[in-house]
Amino acid sequence: MDALTGLLEGPRARGAFMIRACFDPPWAVRVEDRAPLTVMLLVRGDAWLLPDRGEGIRLRAGDLAVARGPDPYTCADAPGTEPQALILPGGRCHHPDGRPLNGSMDLGVRTWGDRPDSGTVLLIGTYQMRGEIGGRLLDALPPLLPLGADVWECPLTPLLMEEVGRDAPGQEVVLDRLLDLLVIAALRAWFARPEAEPPAWYGALSDPVVGPVLRLLQDDPARAWTVAGLAEKAGVSRAALARRFTRLVGEPPMSYLTGWRLALAADRLRDTDDTLAALARQVGYGSAFALSVAFKRAYGVSPQEWRNRAAA
C-alpha cells in the first residue's frame, strides 16, 4: 500500500457533502463546518479563499484548492465582501446573523447559490469525518492548499459537473468515489511540487531499504514483526535498519508499527461492528485487553468510548 492509497483506503468518503455552488458578484460565504477536508474546484469565474490567519488565495477557472479543517475561512468574489451565508457542521446553512436560510438558495439537485448559470461556479466536496489513518498525511497539509491549472490537469471536471446534479439510484456512492479520485489526484500533484513538505514517512517510502520495510508494516500489520525480522527482509543488519528507519521516518520501526496498528483499530472501531477481540487479531494484538490498554494510552479513551463517540 503506498502513501496516497493509505490516505483513503480505510476512511473513504461515505455520504460526503458535495454540491455545485453558483454565484454572481458580489458574493461571499463563511465556512465554519469544521470539516476535516474540503476540496473546491473552480469551474468558471474567479474566487478568493480567505483564512482568518495568513494570506488569501486567488483561484481562477481550472484551479483547485484543498482546505484542511477545522479552521474557518471565507470563500468570496473579492477580499472585503461581506458574507451572505454561513456554513455550519453537517452542511447546515444560515444567514450570518444565525437565521436559517430555509432553502432560499437551493437551485435543484446538489446545486446552490444565485442562479444555475451564474458567472462563478464551484464544485465543492467535503469529507465529514477524519480518518485516523489519513490523519498521518492530512497533518502534513497546509490549512489551504492551492493547485493552479498550470501545474495540474483534472480530467474529472466534466464528469463531476454531470454527476453532481444527477438524481439516480446509488448516486451518493458514485460521487463519493469521484471525490476520492479527485483528492488522490490533487494530493499526488501537490506532493510532487517542490514547495510541498510531506511527512517524513512519506519521503522514506522511496528509500531502497526503509521503503520496503514500511510497506511490509502497512500491508501486514497483524504479523508478529520484530526489528530483526524486518532487517532480514531488508537485507541489512538490525542496528543498521533501526538507525536508518529512525533517521528517515522520525521514530523507530516498532513505534511506527504501534501507531499504524492503533490507527487501523480506530477506523475499524468506527466503521465495523467487529468485537474488540476480532479487531485485536486483525491489527496484531494478542488479546482484546492488550489492544484496549494500548489504545487508551494513545487516544485517551477506551475503544468502547471511541466507538460510542463515533456512533453519536
Side-chain angles (χ1 to χ4, degrees):
M1 181 188 301
D2 64 35
L4 288 171
T5 301
L7 169 65
L8 294 171
E9 177 63 22
R12 296 184 302 168
R14 296 176 179 85
F17 179 76
M18 198 161 189
I19 199 167
R20 176 173 50 203
C22 310
F23 301 113
D24 289 317
W27 62 270
V29 176
R30 172 75 173 170
V31 181
E32 297 181 2
D33 61 2
R34 302 188 63 81
L37 192 72
T38 297
V39 184
M40 290 160 279
L41 179 60
L42 188 59
V43 178
R44 185 167 66 236
D46 292 319
W48 281 84
L49 287 179
L50 305 161
D52 287 1
R53 295 185 299 271
E55 296 183 1
I57 297 170
R58 185 173 186 180
L59 301 178
R60 295 177 173 85
D63 292 353
L64 176 142
V66 177
R68 174 181 57 80
D71 293 344
Y73 56 92
T74 299
C75 189
D77 69 309
T81 301
E82 289 295 320
Q84 303 154 310
L86 174 65
I87 309 300
L88 297 170
R92 293 178 291 120
C93 303
H94 285 204
H95 289 282
D97 61 9
R99 291 177 295 117
L101 281 167
N102 292 327
S104 61
M105 298 182 73
D106 292 348
L107 298 173
V109 178
R110 300 184 192 89
T111 304
W112 186 81
D114 296 324
R115 55 190 178 92
D117 57 347
S118 293
T120 301
V121 176
L122 278 158
L123 288 175
I124 303 170
T126 299
Y127 288 78
Q128 306 287 337
M129 296 172 61
R130 179 185 176 93
E132 289 302 309
I133 299 173
R136 286 177 176 258
L137 193 52
L138 295 178
D139 286 344
L141 301 178
L144 291 177
L145 183 163
L147 278 173
D150 58 329
V151 299
W152 92 304
E153 294 182 8
C154 182
L156 295 172
T157 303
L159 183 59
L160 282 165
M161 281 291 288
E162 178 181 349
E163 293 290 342
V164 74
R166 179 172 292 176
D167 189 13
Q171 193 63 18
E172 284 193 358
V173 176
V174 171
L175 292 173
D176 284 348
R177 299 293 74 80
L178 286 174
L179 179 57
D180 289 342
L181 289 172
L182 182 63
V183 169
I184 291 171
L187 294 183
R188 185 168 58 187
W190 166 251
F191 281 116
R193 302 292 298 163
E195 66 269 24
E197 296 182 4
W201 64 265
Y202 182 92
L205 283 166
S206 62
D207 183 80
V209 173
V210 176
V213 169
L214 277 168
R215 291 184 177 89
L216 287 171
L217 297 177
Q218 291 175 347
D219 290 345
D220 192 7
R223 187 167 176 174
W225 293 111
T226 64
V227 177
L230 290 168
E232 184 179 355
K233 292 282 188 182
V236 298
S237 71
R238 181 182 183 279
L241 174 63
R243 285 194 302 270
R244 188 164 180 155
F245 193 103
T246 302
R247 175 171 56 85
L248 293 178
V249 179
E251 59 184 329
M254 293 300 100
S255 176
Y256 176 88
L257 177 58
T258 296
W260 180 252
R261 284 171 167 171
L262 294 176
L264 283 167
D267 275 341
R268 292 176 185 178
L269 281 164
R270 187 194 67 212
D271 297 333
T272 75
D273 295 324
D274 292 350
T275 66
L276 194 58
L279 289 176
R281 291 192 296 270
Q282 293 167 21
V283 301
Y285 281 87
S287 67
F289 177 77
L291 173 58
S292 183
V293 170
F295 193 93
K296 188 166 185 177
R297 184 185 301 120
Y299 288 88
V301 297
S302 71
Q304 188 59 51
E305 288 176 292
W306 179 269
R307 174 170 271 168
N308 291 342
R309 291 182 183 183

